[in-house]
Amino acid sequence: MYSRRNFPNQKPNEHVILFLRRHWIAPLKIFFIGFILALIPVLLYFVFSSISALWERESFMAMFILALSGYYLFVLLYTFADFVDYYLDVWIVTNERIINIEQKGLFARVISEKELVIMQDITSEIEGFWHTVFNYGDIFIQTAGEKERFVFKQVPRADEVARKISNLVSESRRLRQGALEDWN
Amino acid sequence: MSISISIFLILYLIYLLIFFIFSLFNVWHLQRFGFSGFWPYAITFGYIAATILVLAVTVIFLIPIDWSTPLPFFESLPID
């Protein structure tokens, strides 16, 4: 496992300023969906429990138990895999760059990074009832390239984070400019 | 000739094998690429505990089953 203070490809004198994941609403949704899926067989039992002829056959009982066990194992695996997908999505803002680590399914992982000095536009968006109540949203960061490079999805206090990144970008440019002037 | 219900048990065991492989993939991903903290260990422990619980309850209910019982379809066929 990595550490929040020591991450892969860390440069000398580079330290983490912001370590972000999606708001806790995201894993709560995952576990809530898992809970609802786990309730479905219970509801179906109340519907079919009156058909006593079925339950008396040993072959039906065996198939039912195996099917139910398989279903619950599937629900567990689905919920766990969803949590792993959530947990492995992180956005790291250091004093030098922004690192975007995104897990796409089980066998795909995208890691992109850009220096702070080339960030052009930083926009935060908090839209919707739940986003407003729990204060989370998206941050869009435009680099000097043509396409939107980074999207921080459902991060807590998106407006504060965007402001902080903007200040870091300004500070980074000021330091770079100062270093160039010293060199000249 | 008759086919017993044990065929479902065999299919279930194959399903279990696939389940364990995918479980290992997920745990390995979390361990390899995750950042240390309380929640990955807690959730992994909870997942393993819940899996053991489901399997234990399944075994308890399956023990009394006579797996040589023929499938219902074959029960009604005359054997010459």
Side-chain angles (χ1 to χ4, degrees):
Chain A
M1 273 188 165
Y2 301 129
S3 158
R4 289 190 182 199
R5 291 184 182 176
N6 296 300
F7 54 92
N9 300 323
Q10 190 170 2
K11 297 177 183 175
N13 301 319
E14 184 180 23
H15 58 272
V16 175
I17 296 173
L18 291 170
F19 185 91
L20 302 165
R21 279 200 181 88
R22 281 182 279 161
H23 194 270
W24 55 261
I25 283 272
L28 194 66
K29 275 184 199 170
I30 293 167
F31 292 119
F32 180 73
I33 290 169
F35 177 72
I36 295 296
L37 287 174
L39 276 183
I40 291 174
V42 177
L43 297 170
L44 289 175
Y45 172 76
F46 286 113
V47 170
F48 291 106
S49 59
S50 57
I51 310 172
S52 59
L54 275 176
W55 302 105
E56 289 163 6
R57 297 182 75 115
E58 191 173 44
S59 53
F60 174 79
M61 277 302 293
M63 287 188 281
F64 173 77
I65 291 164
L66 291 175
L68 190 65
S69 175
Y71 175 80
Y72 275 112
L73 290 175
F74 169 77
V75 169
L76 279 174
L77 184 61
Y78 173 81
T79 306
F80 186 60
D82 236 358
F83 171 79
V84 171
D85 188 78
Y86 151 79
Y87 198 79
L88 295 183
D89 287 350
V90 295
W91 297 278
I92 302 171
V93 180
T94 72
N95 56 323
E96 294 189 19
R97 53 188 171 143
I98 292 178
I99 303 164
N100 177 20
I101 304 173
E102 203 167 335
Q103 186 75 23
K104 293 177 182 286
L106 201 53
F107 301 106
R109 189 172 170 78
V110 176
I111 301 174
S112 48
E113 54 180 75
K114 284 292 178 192
E115 291 189 346
L116 284 173
V117 290
I118 67 166
M119 301 298 160
Q120 298 274 322
D121 175 53
I122 301 147
T123 307
S124 69
E125 188 176 282
I126 300 177
E127 195 179 324
F129 175 77
W130 296 110
H131 295 70
T132 306
V133 168
F134 290 104
N135 194 16
Y136 67 98
D138 301 335
I139 299 173
F140 304 92
I141 301 178
Q142 184 76 44
T143 63
E146 291 177 0
K147 287 195 296 186
E148 213 159 58
R149 185 67 185 175
F150 291 120
V151 180
F152 291 23
K153 296 173 191 168
Q154 298 180 345
V155 293
R157 299 181 303 278
D159 49 353
E160 289 175 35
V161 171
R163 196 162 42 245
K164 198 158 191 175
I165 295 173
S166 182
N167 292 338
L168 284 169
V169 170
S170 303
E171 179 66 20
S172 188
R173 285 186 183 147
R174 190 185 64 77
L175 288 170
R176 178 74 63 94
Q177 186 65 30
L180 283 172
E181 284 170 1
D182 289 342
W183 179 260
N184 289 330
Chain B
M1 187 198 87
S2 65
I3 298 176
S4 65
I5 57 174
S6 60
I7 191 164
F8 291 108
L9 186 62
I10 294 167
L11 290 173
Y12 178 77
L13 291 173
I14 294 170
Y15 173 84
L16 266 190
L17 181 66
I18 297 168
F19 170 83
F20 280 127
I21 290 170
F22 274 93
S23 296
L24 278 173
F25 275 140
N26 278 292
V27 172
W28 178 79
H29 267 92
L30 204 53
Q31 185 62 33
R32 172 70 179 84
F33 299 112
F35 286 81
S36 59
F38 167 76
W39 286 111
Y41 292 108
I43 298 297
T44 303
F45 177 78
Y47 173 72
I48 294 171
T51 301
I52 291 172
L53 181 66
V54 168
L55 291 174
V57 171
T58 303
V59 166
I60 288 169
F61 278 101
L62 290 182
I63 283 174
I65 302 282
D66 178 10
W67 294 101
S68 60
T69 306
L71 280 172
F73 175 73
F74 290 97
E75 280 175 350
S76 57
L77 288 180
I79 300 168
D80 291 323

